[in-house]
Amino acid sequence: MNLSVSSFDDLSARIAAVRDEHRERHPGGADGRQPVHTVYVPADRFSRSTPADFGAEALRLLNTHTPGAGSFGAAFGLDPEIAGLVRERVAAKLSAEPVEDVRIDFEDGYGVRPDAEEDAHVEQVVEAVAAAYQVKGLPHYWGVRVKSFADGGHERAMRTLDGFLTTLRDRLGRLPGGFTITFPKVVAAEHVALFAEYLDRLETALGLPSGILRFEVQIETPESILDGEGRIALRAIAAAAAGRLTAAHFGVFDYTAAIGLPPHEQRLDHPACDFARHAMQVAFAGTGVRLSDGSTNVVPRNDGPDEVNAAWAAHAAHVRHSLRHGFYQGWDLHPAHLPSRYAAVYAFHLDGVDDVIGRVRAWHEQAAGNPGVMDEPATIKALTARLRRAVDCGALDESVLPGS
């Protein structure tokens, strides 16, 4: 070639430096399985059998109120062509793995109590966790939520976590896998940095491997979206976690209350929540930080069909709203939420799945998946991720994946 510029080696080096810096900040999606939900249980109510108890009650409600494919499809608004298959797989899920992730709650679901009482519940929880672990009764993911640093609960939060991990170490001699800490009500990146520093000290004191204590933040305050200078705060929060951040969970009710929504509008599918969720998506895209939506506070007041079906309808609608917006995980607070969670998630994955499999297979075969359609690599990556999520949660069998 006849080049006008004698050398652009310096530009190439600078371009590579920018690329490397970008890759460090955006390493890609998180590895491994993402749970479809996190079940929150107040610490004083958690026992070794809590996950199994949730599943048994959820399965009882399913069989009582939707004994067949027709009633099941009607309850959850499903296409009759897939209602029977979805029901079969939901029932199997509730029997085998009803809870994918559980958080033992020492914050809002537990409340403020005297130190002696919370200390006693810490010991009680350790015994329950140890007993569940020994009989393989812990969910794939599990952990604790401590009190916030934002409202004066910091000393109690550190005392609870120290007591829990110290007692668990003495009881089991190890930290079972899948453990995560939930750090709520973030109002400043500095609090996140201080929590990360505390975890570093705790690991050293307990003789734990450096970096093993990972945590997720709850995005449930306006200050966690915009900082005091009017800048997006989310990336600074992630940076302050010093590599320990696994996920960001949206807190619906604290957030909507803080921005002034009236109680009857404090709901997961309010447009104000969409804004916060979309900010989270943009800020954390490609960083390896997983996203989770919040909870539905509608639960059946009794076992009557009207109450159960109303709770199911509200919860399933919220789960579908989350899925449409690219949030594949959410919070569940009651056994009745499990049938509607899995019904909505499984239907989402199974609806049109043959077309998805065909498009991915066609891509691998270097052919158009549908007449007039030639998918982009980014689309195929998203479709493949959808199939992987479907297999991970039990909606699909591994054998259906292209290339299996």
Side-chain angles (χ1 to χ4, degrees), residues 349 353 356-357 360 382-392 396 400-402:
H349 287 310
V353 70
V356 173
I357 293 171
V360 174
L383 293 176
T384 302
R386 170 182 167 176
L387 294 176
R388 184 72 258 171
R389 282 192 292 269
V391 169
D392 286 344
L396 285 176
V400 307
L401 294 181

Side-chain angles (χ1 to χ4, degrees), residues 64-78:
T64 298
H65 297 285
T66 58
S71 56
F72 181 83
F76 299 109
L78 305 185

Side-chain angles (χ1 to χ4, degrees), residues 4 25 32 53 57 85 105 130 134 138 145 148-149 197 234 256 267 287 317-318 342 344 347 359 384 404:
S4 300
R25 293 182 177 179
D53 294 343
E57 174 62 8
L85 178 60
D105 190 14
Q134 289 167 340
L138 275 181
R145 177 166 72 166
S148 170
F149 279 17
E197 182 179 338
L234 297 163
T256 53
R267 50 186 170 82
T287 66
H318 286 166
Y342 290 120
R359 289 168 67 180
T384 302
S404 296

Side-chain angles (χ1 to χ4, degrees), residues 33 36 72 78 82 85-94 97-98 100 319 323 338-353 386 389-396:
R33 170 185 177 185
V36 301
F72 181 83
L78 305 185
I82 65 170
L85 178 60
V86 173
R87 190 193 185 284
E88 175 186 329
R89 294 187 178 178
V90 169
K93 180 72 170 182
L94 295 176
E97 189 192 29
E100 293 192 355
V319 174
L323 292 169
L338 302 189
S340 41
R341 169 71 60 184
Y342 290 120
V345 168
Y346 284 18
F348 174 82
H349 287 310
L350 293 175
D351 185 27
V353 70
R386 170 182 167 176
R389 282 192 292 269
V391 169
D392 286 344
C393 72
L396 285 176

Side-chain angles (χ1 to χ4, degrees), residues 57-187:
E57 174 62 8
L59 189 58
R60 184 190 71 81
L61 290 170
L62 180 76
N63 290 330
T64 298
H65 297 285
T66 58
S71 56
F72 181 83
F76 299 109
L78 305 185
D79 185 331
E81 291 188 4
I82 65 170
L85 178 60
V86 173
R87 190 193 185 284
E88 175 186 329
R89 294 187 178 178
V90 169
K93 180 72 170 182
L94 295 176
S95 297
E97 189 192 29
V99 176
E100 293 192 355
D101 184 19
V102 69
R103 205 64 75 245
I104 303 163
D105 190 14
F106 285 96
E107 203 229 0
D108 282 352
Y110 176 78
V112 178
R113 309 192 186 199
D115 280 338
E117 184 176 354
E118 185 158 337
D119 290 341
H121 284 139
V122 168
E123 292 189 17
Q124 176 183 309
V125 165
V126 168
E127 287 303 311
V129 166
Y133 172 71
Q134 289 167 340
V135 297
K136 298 183 178 179
L138 275 181
H140 189 85
Y141 295 106
W142 67 285
V144 297
R145 177 166 72 166
V146 296
K147 289 178 170 59
S148 170
F149 279 17
D151 52 14
H154 53 283
E155 292 186 357
R156 184 64 254 187
M158 291 186 284
R159 174 170 171 163
T160 291
L161 191 56
D162 188 347
F164 174 81
L165 290 172
T166 301
T167 309
L168 188 65
R169 179 202 60 183
D170 295 343
R171 178 72 169 77
L172 288 181
R174 67 184 304 272
L175 178 63
F179 177 71
T180 302
I181 307 155
T182 303
F183 188 65
K185 293 185 179 64
V186 174
V187 296

